[in-house]
Amino acid sequence: MTAIQPLPTMAGGATKAGTRVQFRGVVKSFGAHRVLDQIDLDIAPGEFVSLLGPSGCGKTTALRVLAGLEQAEEGTVLLAGQDVSGVPVNRRDLGMVFQSYSLFPHLRVGDNTAFGLRRRGVSRAEAARRSREALELVGLADLADRYPHQLSGGQQQRVALARALVTEPRVLLLDEPLSALDAKVRVQLRDEIRGIQLRLGITTVFVTHDQEEALAISDRVAVMTSGRIEQIGTPEDLYLRPVTASVAEFVGLSSRVPGVAADGVVAVWGQRLPLRSPVPDGPVEVYLRPENVRLAAGAEAGIDVHVEESSFLGSFRRTSVRAPGGVLVRVQHPVGQVVQPGDQVRLALLPEPVVARPVP
């Protein structure tokens, strides 16, 4: 993939300031199924916010309501403080990039990029100039005369991004734009999207089910479950300070192990760990991060476990061990600490706060 180029001067001047986006009590149903349930969200001008969650959680529907492609039954959507709930999609001044590239196969790259400008009555010469600038922004200025079938998947998605940006929209909407790309291209393009967004200062809403994508490039992430925003915060907040077991399970990698909660702490295999949020006293499931579990040395306090498998991941190893009761626990440890399947080792827990939920 061709690297993006330095930011050109677009529309004869400076980059555009971001626009504030707000959802206030938004409700959307399909038949008897409530897809969005009283969504409240406030996105600052120029902020990059990801909607993260499993399939069916409502994240794409929220994006479509913002775009005007779906109408909410209740609540309001505001852009720059103005209620746009009844404004048609073509008058909201938004740019949107979909999972599928949605390029016109019979148009060259330059014409695909300029299509929205021509529909708005911009002259052919001006549309061509702005199309070149947008393609330069995404590193494809030299491919303007090619057809979509002559491009790779990553290049086609860059054209789709250029087409969304060429009209200088108030807000950029990205609906799982990287899902169809292979892993290496996906990582490269996500970083380039973030770089472009930062330089343009455009408010961006990014929908994804990939937690790594969301954590890597977002200012804040809203984790959605069953039509509600369960937690919104910085990537660090979500990973280090999840407020519910669902967030702890979905964001990052965790092992679920048995414990007993009492008086604000939880006992796990004889070790007492602080609880991040209160749960009723009694049996609980505890979520342990791999980096908060370690292989103990010698006679150090811990429990005996057996190694199931161990993987070398470059800067660290990740090992799965079988603990008492048959529980599988993942451990992240230095590459020099080598273990083999079948080895008996000792497991210790770091005294970090954990999230737990009562056993059903």
Side-chain angles (χ1 to χ4, degrees), residues 149-199:
H149 74 271
Q150 297 175 308
L151 305 180
S152 68
Q155 288 170 333
Q156 289 185 61
Q157 197 60 300
R158 286 179 177 210
V159 176
L161 178 61
R163 184 177 59 187
L165 291 171
V166 74
T167 59
E168 298 185 330
R170 293 194 288 177
V171 181
L172 177 64
L173 309 180
L174 303 166
D175 187 11
E176 303 208 41
L178 309 178
S179 300
L181 305 177
D182 65 60
K184 184 175 181 180
V185 174
R186 189 163 63 242
V187 170
Q188 183 176 358
L189 189 52
R190 83 178 185 203
D191 293 340
E192 294 179 0
I193 287 173
R194 176 55 163 162
I196 290 170
Q197 184 269 336
L198 285 171
R199 283 179 285 170

Side-chain angles (χ1 to χ4, degrees), residues 75-97:
T76 55
V77 175
L78 298 97
L79 294 174
Q82 296 183 334
D83 184 358
V84 296
S85 302
V87 176
V89 59
N90 62 331
R91 294 180 55 197
R92 295 196 184 190
D93 192 16
L94 306 175
M96 193 161 185
V97 180

Side-chain angles (χ1 to χ4, degrees), residues 345-358:
V345 296
R346 290 184 66 74
L347 195 69
L349 309 180
L350 300 182
E352 296 292 331
V354 294
V355 171
R357 66 178 166 193

Side-chain angles (χ1 to χ4, degrees), residues 100-111:
S100 58
Y101 315 129
S102 301
L103 301 179
F104 298 110
H106 63 289
L107 295 181
R108 298 179 189 272
V109 165
D111 293 327

Side-chain angles (χ1 to χ4, degrees), residues 40 113 130 134 139 260 271 275 315 343:
D40 291 302
T113 305
R130 289 170 62 176
V260 178
Q271 295 183 245
L275 282 165
S315 59
D343 287 352

Side-chain angles (χ1 to χ4, degrees), residues 320-352:
S320 295
V321 300
R322 191 68 66 177
V327 178
L328 195 66
V329 181
R330 300 178 184 88
V331 188
Q332 191 166 299
H333 55 96
V335 293
Q337 199 172 22
V338 181
V339 293
Q340 301 295 334
D343 287 352
Q344 179 174 304
V345 296
R346 290 184 66 74
L347 195 69
L349 309 180
L350 300 182
E352 296 292 331

Side-chain angles (χ1 to χ4, degrees), residues 303-321:
I303 59 167
D304 292 330
V305 297
H306 289 87
V307 175
E308 292 277 316
E309 59 90 18
S310 187
S311 301
F312 172 73
L313 298 176
S315 59
F316 62 88
R317 292 183 186 274
R318 184 169 292 145
T319 296
S320 295
V321 300

